[in-house]
Amino acid sequence: MNKRLIYSGKAKDVFETDNDNELILFYKDQATALNGIRKEHITGKGNLNCKISSLIFHYLMRNGIETHLINDLSDNEQLVKRTKLIPIEVVLRNTIAGSFARKFALDEGKKLDPPVIEYYFKSDELNDPAINESQIESIGIANESELQEIKKQTLAINKLLVELFNQDKLDLVDFKLEFGHFETGIILIDEFSPDNCRLWDQTSHQSFDKDVFRKNEADLVTTYKKVLDRLEGVR
Ligand code: TMP
């Protein structure tokens, strides 16, 4: 299959294929923090993120959430539907942590009920600035009904994933999603892995996500492998 690199991101490369309706995602053995300022090669990370994301997207699809995933091509590659990216990152928070704790000088760990939904405008140059619903609508990123759809899907995904991780004795603290326009409507794209969520062990409260790398707390590959093992153990 011919493939041509069209985008190289921090954690993934994106390739065009002979088929205009499909793309290939290649998960890199690379971890970044501080918006790419800190960058490290980590053997095995791409493989783990690809497997974890695939497992989670298949679980979501079995439960009625449409995603861009078609199938896995190798340990590090997925074939996905080509969509028109909606340039916002949607963050959902079930529990206070990270930038939310810092922004409002709050202690980490308190549950947020209802969950908080935030949006960030996808722009490496601008450092992904926060953006609100009114700004998203007024500058034409998404209209009111599209935003409602994104919110509805985000909440449904949250409910399903809280249940999934709960079976593995992990609390889903927060996560980031991306969406794209497809012929069937707005669908979930990108990935779901410990790179873009926070998972805390329900007993030890240890992090099982990229915070171990950001804070130099534990080995990233060992940590992500534990997440994969737990997810595979219950299914
Ligand atoms: P934050 O607390 O740093 O704002 O992050 C909230 C959640 O969103 C956390 O699970 C990590 C994820 N996230 C990304 O995946 N990419 C990003 O660029 C940012 C800022 C957060």
Side-chain angles (χ1 to χ4, degrees):
M1 183 192 294
N2 286 324
K3 50 181 204 175
R4 194 164 59 89
L5 183 69
I6 55 166
Y7 176 76
S8 186
K10 294 195 272 278
K12 292 188 292 300
D13 285 336
V14 182
F15 295 88
E16 273 180 341
T17 71
D18 294 336
N19 182 338
D20 286 347
N21 301 317
E22 296 175 353
L23 295 172
I24 292 173
L25 301 187
F26 175 83
Y27 286 73
K28 301 190 208 184
D29 279 346
Q30 180 170 286
T32 60
L34 308 168
N35 214 14
I37 295 168
R38 180 177 164 212
K39 192 190 281 187
E40 283 180 30
H41 178 93
I42 301 186
T43 304
K45 174 178 179 283
N47 183 341
L48 282 164
N49 274 6
C50 186
K51 279 194 180 141
I52 292 170
S53 191
S54 178
L55 197 148
I56 287 176
F57 272 39
H58 277 116
Y59 164 78
L60 291 173
M61 292 190 288
R62 284 198 303 279
N63 285 281
I65 304 288
E66 189 176 354
T67 83
H68 70 165
L69 182 62
I70 300 171
N71 58 263
D72 294 333
L73 295 175
S74 73
D75 281 354
N76 292 54
E77 289 172 302
Q78 293 172 335
L79 187 66
V80 301
K81 299 167 191 163
R82 189 174 200 151
T83 66
K84 186 166 177 288
L85 173 87
I86 300 171
I88 50 175
E89 299 194 340
V90 183
V91 169
L92 183 142
R93 301 178 188 274
N94 290 308
T95 301
I96 295 175
S99 70
F100 191 88
R102 292 194 294 276
K103 187 190 237 172
F104 300 111
L106 296 169
D107 290 336
E108 292 199 327
K110 187 175 170 291
K111 289 264 185 274
L112 291 162
D113 187 16
V116 168
I117 296 183
E118 297 170 356
Y119 306 96
Y120 295 88
F121 178 57
K122 270 180 78 69
S123 163
D124 286 339
E125 282 161 34
L126 302 175
N127 240 333
D128 297 346
I131 187 166
N132 67 27
E133 293 192 5
S134 155
Q135 292 166 329
I136 290 172
E137 285 178 37
S138 290
I139 63 177
I141 295 172
N143 63 32
E144 193 184 345
S145 73
E146 289 166 341
L147 263 175
Q148 287 305 323
E149 177 62 22
I150 288 169
K151 238 189 295 187
K152 193 178 105 191
Q153 289 197 36
T154 301
L155 290 169
I157 291 165
N158 182 46
K159 191 163 179 290
L160 288 165
L161 293 184
V162 164
E163 281 168 21
L164 178 80
F165 286 114
N166 202 31
Q167 294 172 52
D168 300 331
K169 306 281 173 267
L170 290 168
D171 278 333
L172 179 59
V173 170
D174 54 32
F175 57 84
K176 184 266 295 179
L177 302 177
E178 296 184 27
F179 293 91
H181 291 284
F182 189 58
E183 58 203 28
T184 51
I186 290 175
I187 67 170
L188 180 66
I189 63 166
D190 194 48
E191 67 176 282
F192 196 103
S193 74
D195 266 11
N196 37 51
C197 70
R198 287 194 173 90
L199 296 165
W200 291 351
D201 183 271
Q202 289 177 351
T203 312
S204 68
H205 305 293
Q206 275 180 330
S207 292
F208 276 65
D209 55 61
K210 198 169 153 189
D211 271 351
V212 300
F213 172 78
R214 295 186 188 101
K215 299 179 183 175
N216 289 313
E217 280 176 357
D219 178 62
L220 182 143
V221 165
T222 310
T223 304
Y224 286 21
K225 179 77 173 60
K226 285 183 191 164
V227 174
L228 180 63
D229 286 348
R230 288 202 195 187
L231 284 167
E232 286 181 331
V234 290
R235 249 137 294 277

